[in-house]
Amino acid sequence: MNEALLRSLIPSVLAVLVRRGADFAAAEDAVQDALVEAVRVWPADPPRDPKGWLVTVAWRRFLDARRADTARRRREDLIEEEPAQGPAPAVDDTLQLYFLCAHPSLTPSSAVALTLRAVGGLTTRQIARAYLVPEATMAQRISRAKRTVSGVRLDRHGDVATVLRVLYLVFNEGYSTDADVDLTAEAIRLTRQLAAVIDHPEVVGLLALMLLHHARRAARTGPDGDLVPLAEQDRGRWDTELITEGIGILQAALARDRLGEFQAQAAIAALHADAPTAEETDWVQIVEWYDELVRLTGSPVVRLNRAVAVGEADGARAGLAELAELDEALPRHTAVAAYLHERDGDLGTAARLYAEAARKAPNLAERDHLTRQAARLNARRRQ
């Protein structure tokens, strides 16, 4: 049984049923029944048209469920004549399913969970493990999301930016979880799938950004699991094939002259990936890309990252001057201040700020890293 093939077909089969008039929850149940039947039948009798087979079986299961419904009038309104068997239509409804799962009425966490369930084909148990929550909690979250989108029709073009934001959340979550499902790889797979059905420079911009970040994954932690800052990473452990692919995708997107925030972020990641050593990083150009990002987003977090880049390009005091204009309540503001004060030679202030940042850290790995930084500077001061 080719599980990868089954998973790749789930979103398009589900979208066909929804487009034909099935509500989301009932369609998903029917598709799951069809998958169970495929696992039973296919090993001995593989179909010539797997997608068409799944659509036919899932639609029959949906109709069977509707015929069992006690609300006859509602049932008769919904049931349509069963389409003739044969190859599935060439139209790909996967894109509309992405839009449905990233519907603006859903919370970000619900949209992510529903996307992984409906488009990614992951089980509720796998998603729950990835997010370190009980399976029952995740089941409730997914059920609520299904109910929310049940009445949404796939007859209008959705918001690409919302879909990309959901995929980016999935990707980022992969760096903070340790489970049997690799969410970073899953996000890349789903973004590749999205890029195959929509021609949009920001979709491939996000794909390039993911590939460039993922290329550094092996070097992000040491043997004991400690975080390794970018400047200290062993660049020999970076995946050069992913870097080459990411840069190639990015260059093609930038050539279309429709710049978006994911392309700009990918350009910054590409400059880091292209530098043979940390010292050879083109910080001046990185600051210019951050200027573009500030123009595109106005995000205070982007301005915080820009302050670091300015500190590298023009000196720590220039970075501190940029930092002084930002709200101290921003996430990681204290850690950035500590780093820039260390670069400026003020080890006492830097050590105090590293310790303070450790107390505010969003996860254990970052807390331990910042605590070690504070201890390192305090040890230097005592020498």
Side-chain angles (χ1 to χ4, degrees), residues 213 215-221 227-238 276 278:
H213 279 316
R216 302 199 301 260
R217 187 174 187 178
R220 290 182 75 248
T221 55
L227 283 180
V228 179
L230 177 61
E232 300 172 19
Q233 289 177 12
D234 178 1
R235 299 185 179 220
R237 299 183 65 195
W238 290 1

Side-chain angles (χ1 to χ4, degrees), residues 106 110 114 137-150:
L106 296 173
S110 294
L114 191 59
T137 300
M138 185 55 69
Q140 291 175 354
R141 184 181 300 174
I142 293 173
S143 294
R144 286 195 299 268
K146 289 179 185 178
R147 289 195 297 270
T148 299
V149 301
S150 288

Side-chain angles (χ1 to χ4, degrees), residues 142-182:
I142 293 173
S143 294
R144 286 195 299 268
K146 289 179 185 178
R147 289 195 297 270
T148 299
V149 301
S150 288
V152 178
R153 294 189 59 82
L154 293 177
D155 56 359
R156 288 183 298 176
H157 200 275
D159 182 10
V160 176
T162 303
V163 174
L164 295 182
R165 189 62 56 195
V166 168
L167 291 173
Y168 194 42
L169 286 173
V170 174
F171 181 81
N172 285 336
E173 191 67 22
Y175 279 122
S176 57
T177 58
D178 183 16
D180 59 345
V181 177
D182 186 342

Side-chain angles (χ1 to χ4, degrees), residues 107-377:
T107 64
S109 61
S110 294
V112 167
L114 191 59
T115 298
L116 290 172
R117 182 77 173 90
V119 185
L122 301 183
T123 66
T124 302
R125 176 175 296 180
Q126 286 175 315
I127 301 170
R129 286 178 178 172
Y131 282 87
L132 304 178
V133 300
E135 185 176 350
T137 300
M138 185 55 69
Q140 291 175 354
R141 184 181 300 174
I142 293 173
S143 294
R144 286 195 299 268
K146 289 179 185 178
R147 289 195 297 270
T148 299
V149 301
S150 288
V152 178
R153 294 189 59 82
L154 293 177
D155 56 359
R156 288 183 298 176
H157 200 275
D159 182 10
V160 176
T162 303
V163 174
L164 295 182
R165 189 62 56 195
V166 168
L167 291 173
Y168 194 42
L169 286 173
V170 174
F171 181 81
N172 285 336
E173 191 67 22
Y175 279 122
S176 57
T177 58
D178 183 16
D180 59 345
V181 177
D182 186 342
L183 289 180
T184 56
E186 185 65 19
I188 290 172
R189 185 183 74 83
L190 293 176
T191 306
R192 285 190 190 278
Q193 188 179 52
L194 181 61
V197 296
I198 183 173
D199 181 22
H200 194 291
E202 273 293 83
V203 174
V204 290
L206 176 59
L207 177 57
L209 176 63
M210 289 179 174
L211 293 173
L212 290 165
H213 279 316
H214 198 52
R216 302 199 301 260
R217 187 174 187 178
R220 290 182 75 248
T221 55
D224 51 2
D226 293 341
L227 283 180
V228 179
L230 177 61
E232 300 172 19
Q233 289 177 12
D234 178 1
R235 299 185 179 220
R237 299 183 65 195
W238 290 1
D239 189 324
T240 55
E241 289 187 8
L242 286 182
I243 290 173
T244 300
E245 182 185 5
I247 290 176
I249 291 172
L250 172 63
Q251 289 174 337
L254 293 176
R256 299 176 64 176
D257 199 23
R258 290 171 55 193
L259 184 64
E261 63 173 300
F262 288 119
Q263 294 171 70
Q265 288 187 54
I268 293 169
L271 286 167
H272 284 297
D274 199 42
T277 65
E279 293 73 23
E280 295 174 87
T281 303
D282 190 345
W283 286 106
V284 172
Q285 195 171 349
I286 287 176
V287 171
E288 292 174 355
W289 277 112
Y290 272 122
D291 289 341
E292 291 288 348
L293 262 179
V294 170
R295 180 182 62 80
L296 288 166
T297 68
S299 167
V301 175
V302 171
R303 294 185 63 196
L304 182 68
N305 292 330
R306 181 183 178 277
V308 176
V310 169
E312 299 288 354
D314 300 327
R317 294 196 179 183
L320 287 168
E322 296 287 338
L323 191 64
E325 299 179 7
L326 302 177
D327 186 351
E328 293 183 2
L330 278 172
R332 296 185 173 85
H333 183 285
T334 307
V336 170
Y339 175 75
L340 290 173
H341 276 290
E342 180 184 358
R343 293 267 300 168
D344 194 39
D346 187 350
L347 302 189
T349 299
R352 176 179 58 80
L353 289 173
Y354 275 130
E356 182 182 337
R359 293 191 291 271
K360 301 176 182 178
N363 56 66
L364 182 62
E366 192 167 333
R367 186 196 70 186
D368 290 347
H369 169 70
L370 292 167
T371 300
R372 287 193 300 273
Q373 295 294 84
R376 173 180 57 82
L377 292 188

Side-chain angles (χ1 to χ4, degrees), residues 22-60:
D23 67 86
F24 188 91
E28 212 242 352
D29 288 342
V31 171
Q32 293 303 316
D33 287 345
L35 293 173
V36 172
E37 186 69 6
V39 171
R40 187 183 70 84
V41 172
W42 285 13
D45 184 21
R48 286 180 296 178
D49 178 15
K51 178 181 174 182
W53 190 97
L54 286 172
V55 168
T56 299
V57 173
W59 186 246
R60 284 176 178 170

